[in-house]
Amino acid sequence: SSEVLEAIENVIQDVLKSLAQNKAPVLTLASRSDWRNIEFKDSVGLQMIPHCATKQIRSDCPRSAPKFALMLKVLSMIYKMVQSNTYATKRDIYYSDTLLFGSQSVVDNIINDISCMLKIPRRSLHILSTTKGFVAGNLIYTEEDGTKVNCTCSATVCIIKTTSLNKKDIISHAKFMLIVEKDATFQRLLDDDFCNKLSPCIMITGRGVPDLNTRLLVRKLWDSFQIPIFALMDADPHGVEIMCIYKYGSVSMSFEAHHLTVPSIKWLGLLPSDLERLNIHKDALIPFTKQDQNKLASIQKRPYIACQPMWKKELEIMAASKLKAEIQVLTSLSSDYLSRVYLPNKLQFGGWL
């Protein structure tokens, strides 16, 4: 915490120095969304380069002055929380003054900018994200406040709210981990007792685009157990994008890649080639929208696709057919096809990429 306080004090000192010299204070931070600031590394994923292009938030420019003021406001809130050892969620910060902030996304963006500017992970700033991820299966762990979480009872779903886990407090005999894109599929697999039927495993869902806590948990479990991790996503550009966030990270959080990415994640399904192989009827598939086409084109250009020739092939199949499918499409074959046939066969015969 002393490191956080010192980092904030340095920023404020610079502001005061500028004022003392009759200069307009500025805050300098890396351009988080600029691909030129990102390099791709096989072992880490997308990470920010050390000497990257920066942008200035100026206090004397009408366009950036409001953001400058909001950043100082949030910095003062963080400073007080670290000093008093209290925590707040991003929602708490937004609701402390909704008129001032205007929207939750403004707060989220400012917090990420501050984290990047100070080079301090967000959880060390005493800001918690409201979590939405679930975990189930062969796993027992202790949260920071001492609460013991037991996910091993069948059909027990635990909300992922922990931000850091102590290695010695995690117990699991799982043989693999399954990341499931959507809550509906996750719940269906729980109903079918998938976690115990095949072999003990851990199931995790970020319920769509994963939040920070879900990604931190996946990474922590990988560091602790080094077991295979498989991704089960919809066969559409959005599903591929979500899988890439778990595996390689995102551009906007590339400054934290080392704590968040798991490059060993394998794409288990639903593969575009599976749709043909399983003779899924064309009527059960969904035509691409313009947005899908743009998203797929942007994914195909990303640096990590070049080192994944099998993925490249699958994306080409998707692009050629201009059709997408949700995992639920497998119920057109039989109601429990996913847990009874699809996943056991894939896991037994190595049907992943």
Side-chain angles (χ1 to χ4, degrees):
S1 61
S2 59
E3 190 190 322
V4 182
L5 295 176
E6 194 183 328
I8 295 173
E9 284 161 9
N10 289 340
V11 170
I12 302 305
Q13 265 176 340
D14 287 344
V15 168
L16 293 174
K17 252 185 226 161
S18 300
L19 289 170
Q21 295 164 358
N22 271 335
K23 289 180 187 162
V26 296
L27 297 173
T28 306
L29 53 131
S31 306
R32 284 188 298 115
S33 55
D34 191 337
W35 272 93
R36 289 171 302 183
N37 282 344
I38 313 294
E39 63 177 354
F40 170 66
K41 219 173 156 188
D42 256 3
S43 57
V44 182
L46 301 174
Q47 61 176 12
M48 195 169 263
I49 57 176
H51 305 293
C52 55
T54 56
K55 61 180 179 183
Q56 289 191 327
I57 312 292
R58 301 190 62 84
S59 58
D60 60 348
C61 160
R63 266 181 59 214
S64 62
K67 182 163 184 181
F68 180 90
L70 290 180
M71 283 186 76
L72 288 192
K73 164 83 174 166
V74 176
L75 277 169
S76 79
M77 292 169 91
I78 292 168
Y79 194 83
K80 279 180 198 150
M81 288 192 297
V82 175
Q83 265 188 328
S84 59
N85 197 24
T86 53
Y87 288 80
T89 65
K90 294 188 296 181
R91 282 184 77 75
D92 294 335
I93 289 177
Y94 168 57
Y95 281 111
S96 70
D97 199 332
T98 52
L99 279 177
L100 178 71
F101 290 114
S103 78
Q104 182 69 59
S105 61
V106 168
V107 173
D108 297 355
N109 205 15
I110 281 173
I111 289 164
N112 285 341
D113 277 342
I114 286 173
S115 173
C116 184
M117 176 176 76
L118 301 178
K119 295 186 171 50
I120 287 169
R122 193 170 77 196
R123 55 205 169 281
S124 302
L125 302 176
H126 285 227
I127 294 172
L128 311 167
S129 34
T130 33
T131 192
K132 62 190 182 97
F134 289 155
V135 59
N138 196 293
L139 178 67
I140 298 171
Y141 61 87
T142 310
E143 287 181 345
E144 283 168 298
D145 61 3
T147 312
K148 226 178 176 48
V149 179
N150 187 346
C151 312
T152 48
C153 322
S154 65
T156 300
V157 174
C158 304
I159 296 171
I160 300 167
K161 56 174 185 274
T162 190
T163 50
S164 64
L165 290 174
N166 196 331
K167 232 179 191 171
K168 63 179 188 298
D169 287 336
I170 314 175
I171 304 161
S172 176
H173 304 291
K175 296 285 178 278
F176 66 92
M177 217 153 100
L178 184 67
I179 298 172
V180 183
E181 178 186 349
K182 282 186 182 152
D183 191 21
T185 311
F186 181 84
Q187 299 295 344
R188 178 66 215 238
L189 289 171
L190 271 182
D191 293 345
D192 292 347
D193 198 21
F194 178 75
C195 289
N196 300 314
K197 264 189 189 154
L198 201 60
S199 63
C201 74
I202 299 168
M203 270 198 331
I204 287 181
T205 179
R207 297 161 78 199
V209 177
D211 63 336
L212 199 66
N213 288 353
T214 305
R215 292 176 62 193
L216 280 166
L217 181 66
V218 171
R219 174 61 196 245
K220 190 72 190 182
L221 294 174
W222 161 247
D223 285 340
S224 303
F225 304 115
Q226 305 274 308
I227 51 177
I229 305 180
F230 302 107
L232 179 64
M233 307 279 148
D234 287 342
D236 66 10
H238 190 63
V240 175
E241 171 92 287
I242 288 170
M243 176 172 54
C244 291
I245 290 172
Y246 282 108
K247 187 175 170 79
Y248 294 126
S250 59
V251 174
S252 63
M253 293 297 285
S254 59
F255 62 96
E256 271 212 63
H258 287 271
H259 311 287
L260 294 172
T261 59
V262 185
S264 61
I265 288 172
K266 300 280 183 269
W267 186 5
L268 188 70
L270 189 62
L271 303 177
S273 59
D274 288 340
L275 304 174
E276 216 165 277
R277 182 175 60 81
L278 299 171
N279 288 323
I280 303 284
H281 203 276
K282 283 270 198 294
D283 294 347
L285 306 178
I286 309 159
F288 261 24
T289 61
K290 187 81 186 111
Q291 202 181 358
D292 290 325
Q293 278 176 306
N294 295 342
K295 167 83 75 191
L296 183 57
S298 109
I299 292 170
Q300 286 176 303
K301 289 193 193 99
R302 291 189 194 161
Y304 43 71
I305 298 299
C307 68
Q308 291 280 6
M310 301 302 281
W311 282 34
K312 203 166 170 241
K313 260 197 187 124
E314 293 293 333
L315 298 183
E316 281 162 6
I317 292 170
M318 203 191 286
S321 73
K322 291 195 173 60
L323 292 168
K324 58 183 183 177
E326 296 185 333
I327 295 163
Q328 283 79 352
V329 80
L330 296 176
T331 55
S332 66
L333 301 171
S334 78
S335 64
D336 58 351
Y337 192 85
L338 176 66
S339 60
R340 188 175 52 83
V341 182
Y342 183 82
L343 288 175
N345 282 349
K346 282 252 167 178
L347 292 160
Q348 196 179 342
F349 302 114
W352 58 79
L353 305 179

